[in-house]
Amino acid sequence: ATTVRAAAELALRMGKIEEALVNAKRSEDEFSRLNEPQGLASAYRLMGDVLVVDGQVSKAIGSLQAGLQISADAADHINECSAHQALGAAQLWLSNLEHSDAHFVSCIALSTLSNQIEQLGHATAGRGRVAIVIGR
């Protein structure tokens, strides 16, 4: 399952969106079959990333929310924060500024709890992008 996820990530980086979509779906299926929540949450987040690049932002939000829920249920603050970051970016893309900001705020809180400085920086930058769009 990890190999399939890596293949999807590589295809995405190379701009091979169809291949990335196929492998991201296979990754979801494999982690689900293995009953591995952390891997499944990561696979959902990857599918969300691929769907955003493919222009299917609304559909991506559903996948990202599924990954967020799994991470929250497992109290996996690091992956939960990553999901909030991705959702914040997707909501910003759709101009849902309040939702976007709320996801970045959630990630800031989680990254502070888990002492993840890099995630804190990304979430803070996300809030800054929202503020620029709002005009604050």
Side-chain angles (χ1 to χ4, degrees), residues 85 88-89 92 97 104 122-134:
Q85 281 183 41
L92 181 60
L97 303 179
F104 290 126
H122 288 299
T124 303
R127 285 205 77 204
R129 288 191 303 275
V130 172
I132 288 169
V133 172
I134 291 172

Side-chain angles (χ1 to χ4, degrees), residues 11 51 72 80 114 136:
L51 289 167
E80 187 179 355
S114 58
R136 287 190 263 172

Side-chain angles (χ1 to χ4, degrees), residues 12 17 21 24 28 40-69 82-94 96 103:
L12 180 59
I17 304 305
L21 284 168
E28 286 178 359
L40 183 58
S42 177
Y44 280 132
R45 217 174 39 256
L46 175 61
M47 177 60 85
D49 291 344
V50 174
L51 289 167
V52 167
V53 171
D54 195 37
Q56 300 181 57
V57 181
S58 294
K59 188 174 180 181
I61 287 172
S63 185
L64 294 168
Q65 287 174 329
L68 171 64
Q69 188 61 55
S82 294
H84 276 297
Q85 281 183 41
L87 279 161
Q91 293 287 2
L92 181 60
W93 185 260
L94 294 175
N96 294 332
H103 283 295

Side-chain angles (χ1 to χ4, degrees), residues 105-121:
V105 167
S106 293
C107 183
I108 288 170
L110 289 164
S111 62
T112 302
L113 278 175
S114 58
N115 201 26
Q116 295 295 314
I117 303 302
E118 184 176 348
Q119 285 185 320
L120 177 62

Side-chain angles (χ1 to χ4, degrees), residues 2-16:
T2 304
T3 304
V4 176
R5 184 179 63 212
E9 290 170 349
L10 180 61
L12 180 59
R13 286 189 198 127
M14 296 176 64
K16 298 178 179 179

